[in-house]
Amino acid sequence: MTLIFINFNCRTNEFNKKITVAGSGVLGYQIAFQTAFHGFDVTVYDINAEIVNRAKSKFDDLAKNYRIDIQATDAQIAAAKEHLSYTSNLEEALKDADLLIEAIPEEIQIKKDFYKQAAQLAADKTIFASNSSTLLPSQFADSTGRPQQFLNLHFANQIWLGNTAEIMAHPKTDENIKKEII
């Protein structure tokens, strides 16, 4: 496992970093907002329109924390919100995604089923990452249909304060994929 500081400002020509965050719970919406705050296009996906609409209101509350804790300006907050889109349609969420960050409930079968469905819809280029802190990536690698493009990318609560994540690969993770994420 590697503890890293995420450099959201680093972009390469090969990896445009169109990011889909699946799950808008406690960490999912924080990951989505942090990523959008740093200028990346982020699609927030959740299982139905009602949950997606609730996520939108969470971003207003989160923006207050950004203003207080890291002195974010109104312009920065507005720009972050412009980089967010929302859907309850997984196919739409994964269209053109470079990276899928899964932040759904920590239940093995739910995650496996999600990855099997996402694997059928995502482009071959899409890297899959789980935000899990308790489950090993090897438990899901084969379910993703792209084990070499899968790892755990776990963010801590209040991501805007530390801007860190733990990266945990598994034996089949391609080293180049791991480097793309860092």
Side-chain angles (χ1 to χ4, degrees), residues 6 10 20-22 29 33-34 36 43 52 56 62 73 75 83-84 87 99 118 131-132 136 139 142 145 171 174:
I6 300 296
C10 178
T20 298
V21 177
Y29 87 97
F33 195 81
Q34 178 76 356
T43 300
V52 169
K56 292 177 186 179
L62 190 55
T73 66
H83 285 285
L84 292 166
T87 187
L99 174 63
N131 184 55
S132 182
L136 297 173
Q139 292 176 276
D142 290 334
D174 182 322

Side-chain angles (χ1 to χ4, degrees), residues 8-149:
F8 283 108
N9 296 316
C10 178
R11 293 181 188 237
T12 65
N13 291 331
E14 306 85 43
F15 189 61
N16 296 321
K17 296 188 173 97
K18 286 189 73 170
I19 298 169
T20 298
V21 177
S24 60
V26 172
L27 281 170
Y29 87 97
Q30 289 181 46
I31 294 166
F33 195 81
Q34 178 76 356
T35 307
F37 184 78
H38 286 279
F40 296 102
D41 293 326
V42 178
T43 300
V44 178
Y45 164 80
D46 220 312
I47 58 174
N48 64 50
E50 180 183 336
I51 294 172
V52 169
N53 285 331
R54 275 189 270 159
K56 292 177 186 179
S57 66
K58 291 180 191 178
F59 292 116
D60 291 331
D61 293 335
L62 190 55
K64 293 173 191 173
N65 292 331
Y66 274 65
R67 285 183 182 97
I68 293 167
D69 295 337
I70 62 171
Q71 293 71 50
T73 66
D74 289 340
Q76 288 174 306
I77 297 299
K81 289 181 178 181
E82 287 295 316
H83 285 285
L84 292 166
S85 62
Y86 309 87
T87 187
S88 58
N89 180 310
L90 186 57
E91 183 173 11
E92 181 182 320
L94 291 171
K95 183 181 178 193
D96 299 323
D98 294 302
L99 174 63
L100 163 64
I101 302 173
E102 168 270 307
I104 65 175
E106 295 285 280
E107 293 186 31
I108 292 172
Q109 196 57 52
I110 289 174
K111 287 183 183 291
K112 283 184 175 184
D113 291 345
F114 172 79
Y115 285 127
K116 287 176 184 173
Q117 183 180 9
Q120 294 175 2
L121 300 171
D124 291 341
K125 70 173 181 172
T126 308
I127 297 168
F128 285 16
S130 177
N131 184 55
S132 182
S133 62
T134 61
L135 300 171
L136 297 173
S138 58
Q139 292 176 276
F140 307 103
D142 290 334
S143 297
T144 68
R146 58 192 77 211
Q148 70 284 0
Q149 292 170 234

